[in-house]
Amino acid sequence: MTGLVVCGVVLAVASAFGLWRAARDGRLRVRAKDGAVRVSAAELGAGLGERATLVQFSTAFCQPCRATRRVLAEVAAMVEGVEHVEVDAEEHLELVRRLEILRTPTVLVLDSGGRVVRRAAGQPRRADVIAALGAAV
């Protein structure tokens, strides 16, 4: 009987964690540290956008990275002055450590000066990316 109770508790905790993680995955949010963090064009290996830059950290075998790439490229094409830059996390480990990138895909929204204004771990929705650009522009 005790084994069934333990199994039930473990299943309940795992389910709660899964629901919590799914709700947070891909949400563009502000971290207290991010406002002071700047990323230069030299660090990214590409130019910054005139109004904003969407930076995506990816790895070669990341399945959600492909869908994220498509969403960010579409948004960048829709909004004038916005660039999409994809960074291979494996090749830029120093930048990954400095920006505290823990998983891929991670998306950073930079303003025109390269300051991080929003970030999302996981695949963001198109509407959320467009709304986040409002804070950067």
Side-chain angles (χ1 to χ4, degrees):
M1 188 65 168
T2 304
L4 287 175
V5 171
V6 170
C7 186
V9 169
V10 168
L11 285 173
V13 169
S15 296
F17 176 75
L19 291 172
W20 173 80
R21 173 99 185 227
R24 292 183 48 95
D25 194 41
R27 281 190 27 215
L28 286 150
R29 62 187 193 283
V30 180
R31 288 187 348 173
K33 302 177 194 178
D34 284 345
V37 176
R38 291 194 182 276
V39 181
S40 69
E43 289 176 305
L44 293 176
L48 298 176
E50 292 177 19
R51 298 175 68 194
T53 306
L54 301 171
V55 180
Q56 174 185 349
F57 286 88
S58 302
T59 53
F61 298 103
C62 169
Q63 188 65 25
C65 293
R66 294 180 186 136
T68 300
R69 179 183 311 121
R70 202 170 32 253
V71 167
L72 297 181
E74 289 173 4
V75 171
M78 287 184 341
V79 182
E80 187 176 331
V82 174
E83 293 292 327
H84 170 230
V85 177
E86 187 169 0
V87 177
D88 186 350
E90 295 172 8
E91 292 180 10
H92 296 85
L93 288 178
E94 187 61 36
L95 184 60
V96 166
R97 287 183 187 110
R98 185 171 76 82
L99 296 174
E100 299 176 3
I101 306 297
L102 301 177
R103 61 184 273 212
T104 58
T106 293
V107 176
L108 303 178
V109 179
L110 310 179
D111 64 9
S112 59
R115 186 175 58 93
V116 177
V117 293
R118 296 278 191 277
R119 79 166 40 218
Q123 182 181 346
R125 295 180 312 147
R126 180 176 306 145
D128 293 340
V129 174
I130 293 170
L133 282 175
V137 176

